[in-house]
Amino acid sequence: MTGVCGCCGALRPRYKRLVDNIFPEDPEDGLVKANMEKLTFYALSAPEKLDRIGAYLSERLSRDVARHKYGYVCIAMEALDQLLMACHCQSINLFVESFLKMVRKLLEADKPNLQILGTNSFVKFANIEEDTPSYHRSYDFFVSRFSEMCHSSYEDPDIRTKIRMAGIKGLQGVVRKTVNDELQANIWDPQHMDKIVPSLLFNLQQGEGTDSRSPSPLQSSEKEKESPAELTERCFRELLGRAAYGNIKNAVKPVLMHLDNHSLWEGKVFAVRCFKIIMYSIQSQHSHLVIQQLLGHLDANSKNAATVRAGIVEVLSEAAVIAASGSVGPTVLEVFNTLLRQLRLSIDYELTGSYDSCINIGSKIIKEHEERQFQEAVIKTIGSFANTLPTYQRSEVMLFIMGKIPLPEVHPALGSAKSGFEGSRMIQMMLLKSLLQVTTGFQTTNMLTALPSSFLDPLLSITLMEDAEIRLLVLEILVSLIDRHDNRTKFPTINIISDISVLKLKVDKCSRQDNLFMKKHSQQLYRHIFLACKEENSQWPHFEALYALLAVISMELANEEVVVDLIRLALALQELALMNDEGLPVFNRCAVHALSAAYLNLISQLTTVPAFCQHIHEVIEMRQKEVPYLLPEDVFIEKHSVPKTLEKLEGEVLFLQSKISEVLGGSGYNADRLATPYIPQLTEEDRLSKRKSIGETISLQVEVESRNSPEKEERTPAEEITFETLKKAIDSVGMEEQERERRRQVVEKFQKAPFEEIAAHCGARATLLQSKLNQIFEITIRPPPSPSGTITAGYGQTQSRSVPVYEMKFPDLCVY
C-alpha cells in the first residue's frame, strides 16, 4: 500500500502534498509563497500534524543535503523558520525536535554556508518564547559545535570571520534559550561554561589587534557590525548580566583559567579589559564575589612568577575602583589580610631567592626588580580598595595594618628566620607605605574615634626608630591623617612667606571633638616632633614633613591653648639648636633654626597679632642680613651656605620668649604658660629606645629644669644623697606605680564588665552615700525638741523625738 501511495500523488497524505508544493521545480525561484501560506494555514488548523510536517521536512532536507541540492536545503530551512514563527501551541515541542535535528544536520556539514544557514535558523528559534517547557531537550551538541565554530581556522579569512561570528551568535542563542528556563539544561554548569567562556575570550582577544586600527568614518559604521570582537563583547556582557548570585563563580572561573593557560596576566592589558567587562556587566551587589575569586586566585598563584602575581593585583586594583561605594563585601579585613600576606611573602622571596624554604638547584630564579614591582602594585591596590570604603571601615583597616607592623617593643626578634633584620625593616617599610595609601584622602569629623590610642601610640613610637626612611613615612602618615582640607599641597617646601593670604588656606574653627583629641594627644604629638628634630640622620625631607605637620596642626586642630603650646614648642626647638646638648651636626642645627623661624612666621600670621608679627618679621630681617644660614631659603637648597662651625648666637637674631609672651599676653593669650619653657615629658618609649640610657635622659631633664628655674640663684648647695633619700624616692615611685595600676583596673572594669555589674556597683555606692548623708543631716539640722516632743521609752527612760520644722509650733511673738 505504501508503494502505491508513493506512486499515486492523489493518495498521499495532505500534509505531504502541501510540503511538496512549496518546493519549485527550479530551486533558484525560491519558496512558493502561495503554497507556503496554505501549509501554514493547515498547520495552524491541525496542530497535531505539526510533528509529521516537521518529520517529513527533515527527511527531505537530509536527502537534499546528501544529494548536494543546497538550493532545496535553503528552501526547507526557510519553510521551517516560517512555521516556527507562526505556530505557538502545545504541540510545537514535537515539531522543534525535528527542527533541531535538521539544524544539527546542517551544522555537521562541511560546507561553511550550510553551517551559517543552520546557525541563523537556530538564532531565530532562540528568540521564540515557547508557551510550554521542554523536559527532555538537550543543547550539549549545540554548545560544543558553536564553541568549535568560534575557534574556526578556515583558510579564507572572510569565511573564517563569518564562521566565527556564526559560532558567537549560536552561543548567544543557546544562552538566551536556556538561561531563564529552570527546566532546561543548566547552562551555568562548569561543563558548558568551560566551553562558552573561553570561546568568547578567544574572539575578544583576536579582535584586540584590529581594534587598534582606526577605520575611516565611512567604513566604521559598516565594519562595526561585522567585527567578531564587538559581537563577542556584547554576547559576553549579556551572559554576565544574566548571571545570578550562585552562578558568578562558574562564569568567572573559566576566565581565570583562560588567562592562566595563555599567559595573559603578564601583559595585564587584556586581563584588565576582561574584568572591566565583568565588573560593569554583573549586578552591582555581586561585585564582591568577583573580588573574592581574584583574591583566591592570587593565593593559588603565590609561588608563581612575580609578573603573574603583579598582573592579578593590577586587575584587582582596577576591579576595586569599579566596585565602589563599599561593595567590597562583608569580609573587608580579609581582603587586606590577603594583600598584606602576599606582600610579606614577596619580601621573603626577594631576600631568600626561593619560593620554598629549602633552596633547590632547579628552583625558579627570582628577580628582585620584579618582586619590587609586585610590591608596589600591592600597595597601590591597597590604596584603591581603601578609597572605596567609608570612613569607619577605613579606620578599622588602618588599625588592622598597624597591628601587622613589627615594632621593637612588641616583636623583639624581628623578621623570620629566613629574612632576619633586613626582612623586618622591609616589612615595616612596605606596611607603612600601605598605611600611607590608606590614609591618603582620609577625612573624619571626629579625630578622637577615628584615631584611637591603640593606633596613634604605636604609630608615634615608630618615630623613635633610628631608620630615617621609616621616620619620614610616619611623618607623612601623620600629615595625611590630620590634613582634612588639602592644605598640605600648599606647603611643598619650607620657606618664609611674607603674606600667607596668597596660599588661600582653608582654616576652620576647632570643633569640640578636635579639642578633646588635642587635650588627650597634644603633648604626645609635641614630644615626638621635638624628639624627631634631635635625630642626627634627619635630612631635608624630614624637616619639610615636620614643617607640614606643624602647619596642618595649626590649621586643623588649633585652639588658643594649642597655639600657645605650639609657640612654646618652636621656641624649645630654637633652644635645642642653640645649646646643642645632643651634639647635632651643624646642618641639623641650622635646619632646626630654619624650621623654627618658618613656623613662627606662619603661626604669627595665623594669630593676626600685629606686635607678634612685627617681632617675628624683625628677627627674620636681621637673620637675612647677618646669619642667612638660619633661614630655610639658605638651608634647604642643593648648594646650601651652612658654615662648618656654628658660633654662639645671641641678640636680635633670636626669637625672644619674654617678648613673645608679653605681646601675646596683651592680646588675651596665657602669658604665664607662654613664659614657661617647653620640656618634653618622659615616657616608657624613652626606656625602650636604645639610643640613650635612662640615666642620661633623666639627668638631661633635671639639668634643663634647673637651668630654667627662677630660684637657681637662691638655692643652697645640693643636699647629700643618703640611703634614706634613695629609699624615699624608690617608695614614692612604687606608690605612683600602684596608683597608676589601680586607675588602670578601674578603667578596664568600666570598659569590659557587663552593664548589670557596673549598675549594681554604682547603685550600691549611691545607696551607701545616701545613708551617710541622711545620718549627717539628722545630726546637724535636728531642731530642739518641742515641749510636746518628749516621749517615755520602755524601762522608764525618756527619749527625745525629732520634730520637723514645718510641724513645730512657735509662739506668736516669734512669728513675723
Side-chain angles (χ1 to χ4, degrees):
M1 188 65 186
T2 306
V4 174
C5 291
C7 297
C8 237
L11 299 177
R12 303 181 67 204
R14 186 181 179 191
Y15 73 89
K16 285 190 178 183
R17 295 200 306 270
L18 291 173
V19 170
D20 290 337
N21 290 339
I22 67 173
F23 291 93
E25 292 183 4
D26 187 359
E28 294 183 2
D29 293 340
L31 184 68
V32 180
K33 294 184 179 179
N35 293 334
M36 186 64 215
E37 290 177 1
K38 293 179 182 179
L39 178 62
T40 305
F41 179 76
Y42 176 77
L44 291 172
S45 303
E48 68 276 3
K49 300 291 185 180
L50 261 177
D51 58 331
R52 299 185 184 182
I53 294 172
Y56 184 58
L57 273 171
S58 174
E59 180 186 338
R60 284 206 56 153
L61 183 135
S62 301
R63 187 169 64 243
D64 291 336
V65 169
R67 296 174 179 176
H68 304 289
K69 294 182 179 181
Y70 300 124
Y72 288 124
V73 171
C74 295
I75 292 172
M77 290 309 299
E78 186 179 352
L80 282 167
D81 293 342
Q82 290 191 24
L83 285 172
L84 273 175
M85 300 299 292
C87 303
H88 286 197
C89 62
Q90 295 182 355
S91 303
I92 199 173
N93 277 331
L94 297 175
F95 177 71
V96 168
E97 292 302 321
S98 301
F99 169 78
L100 292 178
K101 183 179 178 182
M102 287 183 276
V103 172
R104 179 180 299 186
K105 190 74 176 177
L106 293 179
L107 293 176
E108 288 174 345
D110 297 332
K111 297 290 183 180
N113 292 337
L114 295 182
Q115 297 174 10
I116 295 169
L117 178 64
T119 303
N120 292 337
S121 293
F122 182 84
V123 171
K124 291 176 184 176
F125 161 70
N127 291 327
I128 296 175
E129 293 184 6
E130 299 181 49
D131 297 332
T132 55
S134 174
Y135 299 94
H136 58 280
R137 197 179 300 162
S138 173
Y139 294 95
D140 293 0
F141 167 79
F142 296 100
V143 172
S144 301
R145 183 57 184 154
F146 289 139
S147 299
E148 186 181 344
M149 290 170 66
C150 288
H151 292 85
S152 174
S153 57
Y154 200 82
E155 295 179 359
D156 189 335
D158 292 335
I159 296 178
R160 181 171 65 239
T161 300
K162 290 179 181 179
I163 295 174
R164 288 182 178 179
M165 290 187 68
I168 297 166
K169 290 177 182 177
L171 289 177
Q172 189 177 26
V174 173
V175 171
R176 286 179 179 175
K177 198 65 183 171
T178 59
V179 74
N180 292 325
D181 193 347
E182 295 180 358
L183 298 173
Q184 299 280 12
N186 189 2
I187 201 68
W188 300 107
D189 285 344
Q191 59 178 347
H192 298 310
M193 284 289 108
D194 290 346
K195 296 174 184 176
I196 294 174
V197 174
S199 302
L200 296 176
L201 294 179
F202 172 76
N203 284 276
L204 196 63
Q205 185 185 357
Q206 293 296 316
E208 280 201 323
T210 57
D211 288 347
S212 59
R213 304 172 190 169
S214 55
S216 63
L218 295 175
Q219 296 174 339
S220 61
S221 60
E222 297 178 3
K223 291 200 172 182
E224 276 181 4
K225 299 177 183 178
E226 299 174 358
S227 169
E230 292 288 334
L231 180 62
T232 300
E233 184 173 340
R234 189 165 62 251
C235 178
F236 194 33
R237 288 182 185 277
E238 182 180 343
L239 174 69
L240 294 165
R242 295 171 181 267
Y245 180 87
N247 302 325
I248 294 291
K249 183 177 180 181
N250 289 343
V252 175
K253 187 177 180 181
V255 179
L256 300 173
M257 299 303 296
H258 181 82
L259 297 174
D260 284 343
N261 296 335
H262 296 273
S263 303
L264 295 173
W265 291 113
E266 298 178 12
K268 299 180 185 177
V269 178
F270 181 71
V272 169
R273 183 186 175 194
C274 286
F275 276 89
K276 278 187 175 180
I277 293 174
I278 292 172
M279 298 302 293
Y280 281 122
S281 301
I282 62 174
Q283 300 175 43
S284 59
Q285 66 268 26
H286 300 158
S287 298
H288 68 278
L289 295 175
V290 181
I291 301 294
Q292 287 177 355
Q293 276 196 269
L294 280 168
L295 289 168
H297 198 66
L298 179 61
D299 276 341
N301 286 272
S302 59
K303 292 187 178 182
N304 262 343
T307 50
V308 173
R309 287 177 279 130
I312 300 174
V313 169
E314 183 75 21
V315 171
L316 266 170
S317 178
E318 295 290 339
V321 174
I322 299 170
S325 304
S327 62
V328 177
T331 56
V332 175
L333 292 182
E334 186 59 34
V335 173
F336 290 91
N337 190 34
T338 301
L339 292 172
L340 294 178
R341 182 169 63 247
Q342 291 297 325
L343 201 58
R344 187 179 290 265
L345 284 173
S346 177
I347 292 170
D348 280 344
Y349 294 159
E350 181 183 347
L351 294 173
T352 60
S354 173
Y355 292 119
D356 300 310
S357 56
C358 54
I359 302 176
N360 301 321
I361 299 175
S363 61
K364 298 179 182 177
I365 299 173
I366 294 179
K367 299 177 181 178
E368 288 188 11
H369 71 279
E370 290 181 354
E371 290 294 340
R372 290 290 174 92
Q373 290 174 358
F374 169 72
Q375 292 158 16
E376 294 298 329
V378 171
I379 292 170
K380 176 189 170 187
T381 304
I382 288 174
S384 298
F385 272 108
N387 289 334
T388 67
L389 300 177
T391 302
Y392 73 94
Q393 279 190 328
R394 202 187 285 202
S395 298
E396 291 179 2
V397 171
M398 287 158 44
L399 194 60
F400 180 74
I401 295 177
M402 179 55 65
K404 297 282 185 179
I405 300 176
L407 302 175
E409 61 270 26
V410 181
H411 307 274
L414 286 176
S416 62
K418 297 183 284 184
S419 54
F421 177 79
E422 180 60 24
S424 301
R425 181 189 175 278
M426 288 182 65
I427 290 171
Q428 289 170 341
M429 288 288 299
M430 294 303 167
L431 292 179
L432 286 173
K433 286 181 179 179
S434 304
L435 190 58
L436 181 58
Q437 285 284 333
V438 174
T439 57
T440 302
F442 177 76
Q443 293 185 354
T444 178
T445 55
N446 193 340
M447 298 285 286
L448 200 59
T449 56
L451 303 177
S453 299
S454 55
F455 171 79
L456 205 56
D457 291 349
L459 180 65
L460 290 174
S461 70
I462 302 176
T463 60
L464 298 178
M465 297 180 69
E466 296 180 358
D467 194 301
E469 197 173 354
I470 288 178
R471 291 203 314 274
L472 180 59
L473 280 172
V474 175
L475 292 174
E476 292 291 349
I477 290 169
L478 287 171
V479 172
S480 181
L481 287 170
I482 298 174
D483 182 21
R484 293 172 290 184
H485 293 88
D486 200 24
N487 288 317
R488 172 69 175 95
T489 55
K490 299 165 186 176
F491 298 100
T493 57
I494 309 181
N495 53 6
I496 303 295
I497 305 168
S498 57
D499 183 11
I500 63 170
S501 62
V502 298
L503 299 177
K504 297 181 180 179
L505 302 172
K506 296 178 183 177
V507 183
D508 285 345
K509 185 178 179 181
C510 193
S511 64
R512 179 176 175 273
Q513 290 85 357
D514 293 342
N515 286 334
L516 292 173
F517 175 79
M518 289 305 289
K519 187 171 289 187
K520 183 175 182 180
H521 297 293
S522 60
Q523 295 302 320
Q524 200 177 6
L525 284 169
Y526 305 151
R527 176 177 169 276
H528 283 86
I529 292 173
F530 184 83
L531 294 177
C533 293
K534 294 167 64 174
E535 298 294 339
E536 296 181 7
N537 57 353
S538 292
Q539 299 297 325
W540 179 0
H542 293 80
F543 292 103
E544 285 185 346
L546 286 166
Y547 175 67
L549 180 57
L550 288 167
V552 295
I553 291 175
S554 306
M555 288 176 284
E556 298 283 351
L557 304 171
N559 52 28
E560 187 175 309
E561 182 180 346
V562 172
V563 169
V564 169
D565 285 342
L566 287 171
I567 294 171
R568 291 173 60 220
L569 175 60
L571 294 171
L573 293 178
Q574 177 183 260
E575 187 70 16
L576 169 68
L578 275 176
M579 304 308 297
N580 196 28
D581 293 329
E582 302 295 324
L584 292 174
V586 176
F587 172 81
N588 290 55
R589 294 176 63 190
C590 293
V592 173
H593 274 297
L595 171 64
S596 176
Y599 177 67
L600 286 172
N601 172 67
L602 174 67
I603 196 68
S604 66
Q605 296 185 57
L606 288 174
T607 55
T608 63
V609 177
F612 183 29
C613 295
Q614 183 181 356
H615 172 65
I616 301 300
H617 185 64
E618 289 173 355
V619 174
I620 290 174
E621 282 189 341
M622 189 59 64
R623 286 190 179 186
Q624 289 172 344
K625 294 177 183 177
E626 297 185 6
V627 283
Y629 48 83
L630 298 186
L631 294 175
E633 285 79 5
D634 280 43
V635 177
F636 301 114
I637 54 176
E638 292 184 4
K639 297 181 179 179
H640 53 74
S641 57
V642 174
K644 294 183 179 179
T645 57
L646 196 61
E647 298 178 359
K648 186 176 181 181
L649 302 170
E650 57 185 12
E652 297 178 346
V653 297
L654 298 177
F655 302 101
L656 302 178
Q657 189 153 4
S658 57
K659 177 70 174 177
I660 293 173
S661 60
E662 178 185 344
V663 297
L664 288 179
S667 298
Y669 288 88
N670 190 337
D672 293 337
R673 190 172 180 84
L674 275 167
T676 306
Y678 172 77
I679 301 172
Q681 299 174 354
L682 179 68
T683 66
E684 282 295 323
E685 293 171 331
D686 291 318
R687 298 183 178 92
L688 294 169
S689 176
K690 298 179 180 179
R691 271 181 222 86
K692 295 183 180 64
S693 67
I694 188 67
E696 290 174 338
T697 311
I698 294 176
S699 64
L700 174 64
Q701 188 175 7
V702 171
E703 185 181 347
V704 173
E705 288 177 350
S706 63
R707 184 188 301 121
N708 294 309
S709 174
E711 302 174 359
K712 181 180 178 182
E713 293 81 2
E714 301 176 7
R715 284 184 183 173
T716 56
E719 61 178 350
E720 183 180 357
I721 299 176
T722 61
F723 174 76
E724 291 296 329
T725 309
L726 291 174
K727 184 178 179 182
K728 288 180 181 178
I730 293 172
D731 290 342
S732 64
V733 172
M735 293 295 290
E736 290 177 2
E737 291 291 338
Q738 291 176 4
E739 179 66 17
R740 192 180 297 112
E741 179 65 20
R742 187 187 67 80
R743 289 181 180 178
R744 188 191 64 77
Q745 290 176 354
V746 171
V747 171
E748 186 176 355
K749 178 179 180 181
F750 276 87
Q751 286 178 342
K752 298 181 179 180
F755 174 76
E756 292 78 7
E757 183 181 337
I758 296 174
H761 177 70
C762 294
R765 291 182 61 184
T767 305
L768 179 63
L769 177 63
Q770 187 63 41
S771 64
K772 293 292 182 184
L773 287 173
N774 290 339
Q775 291 179 11
I776 293 171
F777 291 151
E778 187 73 22
I779 295 171
T780 55
I781 64 172
R782 176 185 295 170
S786 65
S788 61
T790 56
I791 57 175
T792 305
Y795 306 104
Q797 299 177 353
T798 61
Q799 182 178 351
S800 297
R801 180 171 61 87
S802 177
V803 180
V805 176
Y806 55 83
E807 292 183 1
M808 291 178 62
K809 295 180 179 179
F810 295 93
D812 293 340
L813 293 175
C814 298
V815 179
Y816 175 70

